[in-house]
Amino acid sequence: MTITLAYLGPQGTFTEAALLRMPISQGATLIPAQSVNAALELVRAGQAAGALVPIENSVEGSVATTLDELSHGEILEIVDEIAIPVEFGLLVRPGTTFADIERIATHPHAHAQCLEWLRANLPGVHVLPAMSTAAAAAELVEGANYDAAICSTAAATHYGLEILADGIGDNDVAWTRFVLVRKPGQSQPSTGHDKTTLSLFMHQDHPGALLEILTEFAVRGVNLTRIESRPTKKQLGDYFFSIDCEGHIDDERVGEALMGLHRICADVKFLGSYPRTDVGNSPIKAEVTDKAFQEADVWLAAMRERQN
Amino acid sequence: MTITLAYLGPQGTFTEAALLRMPISQGATLIPAQSVNAALELVRAGQAAGALVPIENSVEGSVATTLDELSHGEILEIVDEIAIPVEFGLLVRPGTTFADIERIATHPHAHAQCLEWLRANLPGVHVLPAMSTAAAAAELVEGANYDAAICSTAAATHYGLEILADGIGDNDVAWTRFVLVRKPGQSQPSTGHDKTTLSLFMHQDHPGALLEILTEFAVRGVNLTRIESRPTKKQLGDYFFSIDCEGHIDDERVGEALMGLHRICADVKFLGSYPRTDVGNSPIKAEVTDKAFQEADVWLAAMRERQN
Amino acid sequence: MTITLAYLGPQGTFTEAALLRMPISQGATLIPAQSVNAALELVRAGQAAGALVPIENSVEGSVATTLDELSHGEILEIVDEIAIPVEFGLLVRPGTTFADIERIATHPHAHAQCLEWLRANLPGVHVLPAMSTAAAAAELVEGANYDAAICSTAAATHYGLEILADGIGDNDVAWTRFVLVRKPGQSQPSTGHDKTTLSLFMHQDHPGALLEILTEFAVRGVNLTRIESRPTKKQLGDYFFSIDCEGHIDDERVGEALMGLHRICADVKFLGSYPRTDVGNSPIKAEVTDKAFQEADVWLAAMRERQN
Amino acid sequence: MTITLAYLGPQGTFTEAALLRMPISQGATLIPAQSVNAALELVRAGQAAGALVPIENSVEGSVATTLDELSHGEILEIVDEIAIPVEFGLLVRPGTTFADIERIATHPHAHAQCLEWLRANLPGVHVLPAMSTAAAAAELVEGANYDAAICSTAAATHYGLEILADGIGDNDVAWTRFVLVRKPGQSQPSTGHDKTTLSLFMHQDHPGALLEILTEFAVRGVNLTRIESRPTKKQLGDYFFSIDCEGHIDDERVGEALMGLHRICADVKFLGSYPRTDVGNSPIKAEVTDKAFQEADVWLAAMRERQN
């Protein structure tokens, strides 16, 4: 039986390219969704077994939207992540030349990342907005009233377009990170190379709240890899923190840090522990290995026993 | 002589609405820019005396873009901020009724914030992307092939459109915050109710770097109001921190914290101290008032003098 | 069957006075020991069920000695503490008057605390050292070649001496604190008003070691009431920390702090949890009550369960 | 003109031995004082230019007394320190043999450090208290009614006694540290290898006060080498902290830390910056060198200038 996976569409987006690189997508039915929210809703409704959505440095969707959706709706869990390089190309219908290009379509974020190239190579060209880079390509094929689309070069094959220029992004080492979310209960055990995503809601915006949170991590030797204060949408100045840390909920040091956070926060949303995609795991100090925690546990029990 | 101010356009955006509420805009020439970057470039090129751009929780532009542009280009300074409520309306050409609406245009972020209302009131309607909410309205007037635009109700007057529905955002208390940036040297002195914006670049992503940064603030009693780790664009996992803190660079406690950050960071970009727009200033403890710092300075000088 | 208790003697010391105030001494056989070490050895050898020794602000014995003995020898546990006011008197053989006093004996520490009174009332008097204040009284009775002893007024009755002057200490609110030590296994459960004594040995004298230790306490809301860095006797600059903290080893917050210390220290000597004698217990924040820890434990288990 | 220096006497103490090793004592008139307090008073009264007193791990005097005297009386400054090994010998009048020894005199602290040797070599011998180890030797010469004195072997020459046994301390690497105190205004500038002594009085015994203090040091990279909470003598549970840290008041990092402490403490007593005697200086991180502080100062001035 094949599984169904949703992603931020349409076909030809960087999200689809990322999903195709993940082993889980082999043989799966892939459904493009119109928005991050729509992709997540397909999972919540049971119409997809999982969804891949951009979470950081994306050119196609709002990271903030993803973070907020994951933090506020029915709970979903991140079970995997993937990061791929973002390489923009200028795609045209077969036969179009540079001289023919008067109007270009792309997503505003992609536009922002190709400004220098456009200034240098196509000064004065008119740029139209599209819902996504892939949508710009799709509508170009369907005869839209513009001459080229800026999108992933992978979309060229998909839509039968030609690549007129490659690597036109101003920043030649951009990456986008995506997360695969599923319903709780489908994640894997600690691999020794994991990441955990949390949303932490404060009791109030008191000075020092963030320092307290970070100390809960630091005292157990847990390193953060991402942090953002996000408005709760209730009122300006009312925040929650979206955080990625190294390690897995089943690791002792992460578990104790989570308990500490649970004690001091108004709410802790655990959004998943999953294998991290990058290589840069910080070394785990001897004092915060599972072994160190277990020995401390045994020692404490002996001391408590001794005095009674 | 009138001054010229740029803003994230086109006319009718929430950014324009915010700018019109600022005293500095009275009598000024206002120039709508196509993007945050374009607005900032007008200031850098000397073609505008200042620019208003969204910085937090925006529906019209990428906060991340604004933060990154301010952190990486030629230095500009934030000299003021303003926050306004975001209220979406459904705008149509005069005479259009609910029954006529088949296609709607708006910016994707605005779309994301009106999903519930659309599901309940216009199920099955097709939503087209626009470069901004105001662009959707502008093009509707010009005869675009859709029937309604989701944008600020203020745009109705501007473009001669009718408001078919008001307050259609899913979250009835959304705010967007904007900052006014100018070339350095035009800001005002400490008002006792200020905010300071910084970009902090780390020497390396070492565990505990963030804790060190926060401690520099905490030990001088300086409260943070916003923090985001942002990729440096160089490689995944290489971050800088974008931070807003309470207080003004001329305040002693902020000055000493900045010096501490300067010592431990690879680079500190000071993006401005400016009067804050909201009311929620944290009380300043007696031990970190300017008076406390000055007394400590006098005392230290006396001790150093005494022993020599 | 009566129990036997040792104390820092001889009879008539403040230590004996303190022991007599403790309910455990009723009906017990009390043995004066020549030194703190001798008292502890009586317990270790099984010749006494417990020993009372001074631990802080003592006029009769070295606090440092007590701390070092407890930290380095065969483990003993503190099971109770008591603090009593230290009031010095000038004791003489019946019939002696001020005019007769040429030589006085007392312990050097007691001497140090009566300097001002002596200067004002007996200028030029010669002060001889004694092993303890009580020894000075005892030997006075036995005909020593001096005319008065400075010691506790309680000793007057004991030794049949007269109190020529009372309250002659320079500091009229001095207190001495004593601890009752026994072999492990005889202490009592958490009373909600306890203190715990620890000796913490560092891996090395690295900058920040103390801050790490204090953070282990602070992050669990455990307040310290005493701290001393003590040389390990191995070499100058090699330290351990002697610490008293609020709470009982059976309290969740103390237990987790102890486990944290166990992980980061070269050695943690747990010297006992016991009811504290003074009234100044810090309030326990809601986030570090046993209930908060237990709820966090239940929550973590549920999260771990959920994802598997 | 010769200077006069006081020390904790009498002649033959370890304190005198330490003083004789200091260059300042060459050609100086040395006055033995009866107590730490008496030595300090000679300086305060102008009768001595300086005084050497034990401050840590002493066998001859109360460290606590020294700390308290320095913290509470008229201000004196520590201008130098010295540490010497403590080696005990058994001194006798010429001709005395082991078989003759029935009674021994020494200071109680020295007694405590030779217990094992005495048990093994002179079981059952009677030990009498003396005001100091040197006093035991002095009175032995004068015909006191005991047969031997435990004191520094240096005292043998001084008093014309014989060394019957050498190195009889239970701990063969004991050290005592002494400080030279003078009136303020006579210390020397930063040598790059200094120590600073402080007494810090808290506003109240609030949980976290100590952590705040340590953070003031840590955030400027200043390492502590000694800490003790000391009762203020006013009431049990009311403490001050006696602290030694690395560095000199003229060092930027120490100066800023002192200012921070001045802001948060009820009172900061600066007791002196002086060359440290031991070799174990912690390396100074690049971020807290004087250069780093001065660059930060220049940078802040430029930022403040820029925006005005």
Side-chain angles (χ1 to χ4, degrees):
Chain A
M1 177 194 136
T2 60
I3 65 165
T4 302
L5 298 172
Y7 65 94
L8 178 63
Q11 290 181 304
T13 55
F14 287 101
T15 312
E16 187 196 34
L19 183 53
L20 290 172
R21 294 194 190 186
M22 301 181 86
I24 196 176
S25 69
Q26 290 205 301
T29 304
L30 307 188
I31 308 177
Q34 280 192 19
S35 65
V36 166
N37 185 61
L40 301 181
E41 285 302 325
L42 285 170
V43 180
R44 286 181 177 129
Q47 295 175 271
L52 192 73
V53 290
I55 194 136
E56 197 170 20
N57 195 28
S58 170
V59 294
E60 295 185 43
S62 168
V63 173
T65 300
T66 302
L67 291 174
D68 292 353
E69 289 290 342
L70 284 173
S71 299
H72 290 95
E74 182 195 320
I75 203 77
L76 291 176
E77 246 172 55
I78 301 173
V79 297
D80 206 356
E81 70 167 358
I82 186 169
I84 62 166
V86 168
E87 289 168 19
F88 295 103
L90 185 70
L91 273 59
V92 293
R93 282 176 292 237
T96 304
T97 67
F98 262 93
D100 302 327
I101 299 177
E102 288 178 10
R103 293 155 63 96
I104 293 177
T106 194
H107 187 275
H109 293 177
H111 180 198
Q113 297 200 29
C114 299
L115 288 171
E116 290 178 24
W117 188 89
L118 288 170
R119 255 176 288 205
N121 295 278
L122 288 169
V125 76
H126 193 64
V127 180
L128 303 171
M131 190 63 103
S132 69
T133 56
E139 290 170 22
L140 182 60
V141 172
E142 292 165 9
N145 63 341
Y146 47 83
D147 312 303
I150 293 177
C151 60
S152 78
T153 51
T157 317
H158 195 88
Y159 290 107
L161 295 169
E162 277 185 10
I163 301 171
L164 200 60
D166 199 1
I168 68 174
D170 301 337
N171 180 356
D172 55 2
V173 284
W175 288 75
T176 293
R177 192 161 63 86
F178 306 86
V179 291
L180 182 68
V181 301
R182 307 184 71 167
K183 287 201 173 182
Q186 306 187 41
S187 61
Q188 53 177 299
S190 173
T191 66
H193 195 251
D194 306 289
K195 209 187 268 185
T196 293
T197 298
L198 305 167
S199 295
L200 307 176
F201 295 78
M202 301 296 97
H203 277 292
Q204 59 200 17
D205 181 34
H206 64 281
L210 181 54
L211 192 61
E212 283 176 23
I213 286 173
L214 291 193
T215 304
E216 295 287 345
F217 287 103
V219 87
R220 283 90 179 189
V222 178
N223 189 27
L224 300 198
T225 60
R226 186 184 56 77
I227 181 166
E228 292 182 52
S229 59
R230 293 285 310 155
T232 57
K233 294 189 174 176
K234 287 189 189 146
Q235 61 181 77
L236 204 70
D238 194 9
Y239 288 89
F240 73 96
F241 294 101
S242 171
I243 281 175
D244 286 353
C245 69
E246 294 183 342
H248 191 284
I249 189 173
D250 288 344
D251 297 338
E252 296 279 3
R253 67 189 183 289
V254 177
E256 195 182 288
L258 283 173
M259 286 195 289
L261 294 167
H262 182 84
R263 287 189 286 102
I264 67 173
C265 294
D267 193 13
V268 177
K269 287 201 189 298
F270 167 67
L271 301 181
S273 289
Y274 47 92
R276 65 188 297 187
T277 195
D278 51 351
V279 291
N281 219 28
S282 302
I284 298 169
K285 288 189 191 168
E287 68 206 39
V288 291
T289 57
D290 276 10
K291 185 161 168 287
F293 272 90
Q294 285 148 9
E295 285 174 357
D297 208 50
V298 168
W299 171 81
L300 178 64
M303 288 299 109
R304 282 178 168 166
E305 179 68 21
R306 188 188 78 185
Q307 87 152 17
N308 294 315
Chain B
M1 179 191 135
T2 60
I3 65 164
T4 302
L5 298 173
Y7 64 95
L8 178 64
Q11 290 180 303
T13 55
F14 287 102
T15 312
E16 186 196 34
L19 182 53
L20 290 172
R21 293 196 191 185
M22 302 180 85
I24 195 176
S25 68
Q26 289 203 301
T29 303
L30 307 188
I31 309 178
Q34 280 191 20
S35 65
V36 166
N37 184 62
L40 300 182
E41 285 302 326
L42 285 171
V43 181
R44 286 179 178 131
Q47 295 175 271
L52 192 73
V53 290
I55 194 136
E56 198 171 18
N57 197 27
S58 170
V59 293
E60 296 186 43
S62 168
V63 173
T65 299
T66 301
L67 291 173
D68 292 353
E69 290 290 342
L70 284 174
S71 299
H72 289 94
E74 181 195 322
I75 203 77
L76 291 176
E77 249 174 52
I78 302 173
V79 296
D80 206 356
E81 69 168 357
I82 186 170
I84 62 165
V86 168
E87 288 167 20
F88 295 104
L90 186 71
L91 272 59
V92 292
R93 283 177 290 238
T96 304
T97 66
F98 262 95
D100 301 327
I101 299 177
E102 289 179 8
R103 293 154 64 95
I104 292 178
T106 195
H107 186 275
H109 292 177
H111 180 196
Q113 296 200 30
C114 299
L115 289 170
E116 290 178 24
W117 188 89
L118 288 170
R119 257 176 287 206
N121 295 279
L122 288 168
V125 75
H126 193 63
V127 180
L128 305 171
M131 189 64 99
S132 69
T133 57
E139 290 170 22
L140 181 60
V141 172
E142 293 164 9
N145 64 340
Y146 49 81
D147 312 303
I150 293 177
C151 60
S152 77
T153 50
T157 317
H158 195 87
Y159 291 106
L161 295 169
E162 279 186 10
I163 300 170
L164 201 59
D166 199 1
I168 70 175
D170 300 338
N171 180 357
D172 54 2
V173 281
W175 288 75
T176 293
R177 190 161 64 85
F178 306 86
V179 290
L180 183 68
V181 302
R182 308 184 72 168
K183 288 202 173 183
Q186 307 187 40
S187 62
Q188 53 178 301
S190 173
T191 65
H193 196 251
D194 305 289
K195 208 186 268 185
T196 293
T197 298
L198 304 167
S199 295
L200 306 176
F201 295 79
M202 301 296 98
H203 276 293
Q204 57 198 18
D205 181 34
H206 64 282
L210 181 54
L211 193 60
E212 284 176 22
I213 286 174
L214 291 193
T215 304
E216 295 286 346
F217 287 104
V219 86
R220 284 89 179 190
V222 178
N223 190 27
L224 300 197
T225 61
R226 184 184 57 77
I227 181 168
E228 290 183 52
S229 59
R230 294 284 311 155
T232 57
K233 293 188 174 175
K234 287 189 188 145
Q235 60 180 77
L236 205 69
D238 194 9
Y239 288 89
F240 74 95
F241 294 100
S242 171
I243 282 176
D244 287 352
C245 68
E246 294 182 344
H248 191 283
I249 189 173
D250 288 343
D251 296 339
E252 297 279 2
R253 68 190 183 288
V254 177
E256 194 182 289
L258 283 173
M259 286 195 289
L261 295 167
H262 182 84
R263 287 188 287 104
I264 67 173
C265 292
D267 193 13
V268 177
K269 286 200 191 297
F270 167 67
L271 301 181
S273 289
Y274 47 93
R276 66 188 297 186
T277 194
D278 50 350
V279 291
N281 219 28
S282 302
I284 299 168
K285 287 189 193 170
E287 69 207 38
V288 290
T289 57
D290 276 9
K291 185 160 168 288
F293 272 90
Q294 286 149 7
E295 286 173 357
D297 208 50
V298 167
W299 172 82
L300 178 64
M303 287 299 108
R304 283 177 168 169
E305 179 69 20
R306 189 185 78 186
Q307 87 152 16
N308 294 316
Chain C
M1 178 190 134
T2 59
I3 65 165
T4 301
L5 298 173
Y7 66 94
L8 178 64
Q11 289 181 304
T13 55
F14 287 102
T15 313
E16 187 196 34
L19 183 53
L20 290 171
R21 294 194 189 184
M22 302 181 85
I24 195 176
S25 70
Q26 291 204 301
T29 302
L30 307 188
I31 308 178
Q34 280 192 19
S35 65
V36 166
N37 185 61
L40 301 182
E41 286 302 326
L42 286 171
V43 181
R44 286 180 177 131
Q47 294 174 270
L52 192 73
V53 290
I55 195 138
E56 198 171 18
N57 196 27
S58 170
V59 293
E60 297 187 43
S62 167
V63 174
T65 299
T66 302
L67 292 173
D68 292 353
E69 290 290 341
L70 285 172
S71 299
H72 290 95
E74 182 194 321
I75 203 79
L76 292 176
E77 248 173 52
I78 301 173
V79 297
D80 206 355
E81 70 168 357
I82 186 169
I84 62 164
V86 168
E87 288 167 18
F88 295 104
L90 185 70
L91 273 58
V92 292
R93 283 178 291 239
T96 303
T97 67
F98 262 94
D100 301 327
I101 299 178
E102 289 178 10
R103 293 154 65 95
I104 292 177
T106 194
H107 186 275
H109 293 176
H111 180 197
Q113 296 200 28
C114 300
L115 289 172
E116 291 178 24
W117 187 90
L118 288 171
R119 255 176 287 205
N121 295 279
L122 287 169
V125 75
H126 194 63
V127 180
L128 305 171
M131 189 64 102
S132 68
T133 56
E139 291 170 22
L140 182 60
V141 171
E142 293 165 8
N145 64 341
Y146 48 82
D147 312 303
I150 293 177
C151 60
S152 78
T153 50
T157 316
H158 194 88
Y159 290 106
L161 295 170
E162 279 185 10
I163 300 172
L164 201 59
D166 199 1
I168 69 173
D170 300 338
N171 180 355
D172 56 1
V173 284
W175 288 75
T176 293
R177 191 162 64 86
F178 306 85
V179 291
L180 183 68
V181 302
R182 307 185 71 168
K183 288 201 172 183
Q186 307 188 42
S187 61
Q188 53 179 298
S190 173
T191 65
H193 195 250
D194 305 289
K195 208 186 269 185
T196 293
T197 298
L198 305 167
S199 295
L200 307 176
F201 295 78
M202 301 296 98
H203 277 293
Q204 58 199 18
D205 181 34
H206 64 283
L210 181 55
L211 192 61
E212 283 177 22
I213 286 174
L214 291 194
T215 304
E216 295 287 345
F217 287 102
V219 85
R220 284 88 179 190
V222 177
N223 189 27
L224 299 199
T225 61
R226 185 184 57 78
I227 182 167
E228 292 183 52
S229 59
R230 293 286 310 156
T232 58
K233 295 188 174 176
K234 287 188 190 146
Q235 60 180 78
L236 203 70
D238 194 8
Y239 288 89
F240 74 95
F241 294 100
S242 171
I243 281 174
D244 287 353
C245 69
E246 294 183 344
H248 191 283
I249 190 174
D250 288 343
D251 295 339
E252 297 279 2
R253 69 189 182 289
V254 176
E256 195 183 288
L258 283 173
M259 286 195 289
L261 294 168
H262 182 85
R263 287 188 286 102
I264 67 172
C265 293
D267 193 13
V268 177
K269 286 201 190 298
F270 167 66
L271 300 181
S273 290
Y274 47 93
R276 65 188 297 186
T277 194
D278 52 348
V279 291
N281 220 29
S282 303
I284 299 168
K285 287 188 191 169
E287 69 206 40
V288 290
T289 57
D290 276 10
K291 185 160 168 287
F293 272 89
Q294 286 148 8
E295 285 173 358
D297 208 51
V298 168
W299 173 81
L300 178 64
M303 287 300 108
R304 282 176 168 169
E305 179 68 21
R306 188 188 78 185
Q307 87 151 18
N308 295 315
Chain D
M1 179 191 136
T2 60
I3 64 164
T4 301
L5 298 173
Y7 65 94
L8 179 63
Q11 290 180 304
T13 54
F14 287 102
T15 312
E16 187 196 33
L19 182 53
L20 289 172
R21 293 195 190 185
M22 302 181 85
I24 196 175
S25 67
Q26 289 203 302
T29 303
L30 307 188
I31 308 178
Q34 280 192 19
S35 64
V36 166
N37 185 61
L40 300 182
E41 285 302 326
L42 285 171
V43 180
R44 285 179 178 131
Q47 295 175 271
L52 191 73
V53 290
I55 194 135
E56 197 170 20
N57 197 27
S58 170
V59 295
E60 295 187 45
S62 168
V63 174
T65 299
T66 301
L67 291 173
D68 292 353
E69 289 291 341
L70 284 173
S71 300
H72 289 94
E74 181 195 323
I75 203 79
L76 291 176
E77 247 172 55
I78 301 174
V79 297
D80 206 355
E81 69 168 358
I82 187 169
I84 61 166
V86 169
E87 288 167 20
F88 295 104
L90 186 71
L91 272 59
V92 293
R93 283 177 291 238
T96 304
T97 66
F98 262 95
D100 301 327
I101 299 176
E102 289 179 10
R103 295 154 63 95
I104 292 178
T106 195
H107 186 275
H109 293 176
H111 180 198
Q113 296 200 30
C114 299
L115 289 171
E116 291 179 24
W117 187 89
L118 289 171
R119 255 175 289 205
N121 295 279
L122 288 169
V125 74
H126 194 62
V127 180
L128 304 172
M131 190 64 100
S132 69
T133 56
E139 290 171 21
L140 181 60
V141 172
E142 293 165 7
N145 64 338
Y146 49 82
D147 312 302
I150 293 177
C151 60
S152 78
T153 50
T157 316
H158 194 88
Y159 290 107
L161 295 169
E162 277 185 10
I163 301 171
L164 200 58
D166 199 1
I168 69 175
D170 300 337
N171 179 357
D172 56 2
V173 283
W175 288 75
T176 293
R177 190 161 64 85
F178 305 85
V179 291
L180 182 68
V181 302
R182 307 184 71 169
K183 287 202 174 183
Q186 308 188 40
S187 60
Q188 53 178 299
S190 174
T191 65
H193 195 252
D194 306 289
K195 208 186 268 185
T196 293
T197 298
L198 304 167
S199 295
L200 307 176
F201 295 78
M202 302 295 99
H203 277 293
Q204 58 198 18
D205 181 34
H206 64 282
L210 181 55
L211 193 60
E212 284 176 22
I213 285 174
L214 291 193
T215 304
E216 295 286 346
F217 287 103
V219 86
R220 283 90 179 190
V222 178
N223 189 27
L224 299 198
T225 61
R226 185 185 56 78
I227 181 167
E228 290 183 53
S229 59
R230 294 283 312 155
T232 57
K233 294 189 172 174
K234 287 188 189 146
Q235 62 181 76
L236 205 69
D238 194 9
Y239 289 89
F240 74 96
F241 294 101
S242 171
I243 282 175
D244 287 353
C245 69
E246 294 182 343
H248 191 283
I249 190 174
D250 288 343
D251 296 339
E252 297 278 2
R253 67 189 184 289
V254 177
E256 194 182 290
L258 283 174
M259 287 194 289
L261 293 168
H262 182 85
R263 288 189 286 102
I264 67 173
C265 293
D267 193 13
V268 177
K269 287 201 190 297
F270 167 66
L271 301 181
S273 290
Y274 47 93
R276 65 188 296 187
T277 194
D278 52 350
V279 292
N281 219 29
S282 303
I284 298 169
K285 289 188 190 168
E287 68 206 39
V288 290
T289 57
D290 276 10
K291 185 161 168 287
F293 272 90
Q294 286 149 8
E295 286 174 357
D297 208 50
V298 168
W299 172 81
L300 178 64
M303 288 300 109
R304 282 178 168 168
E305 179 68 21
R306 188 187 79 186
Q307 86 151 20
N308 294 316

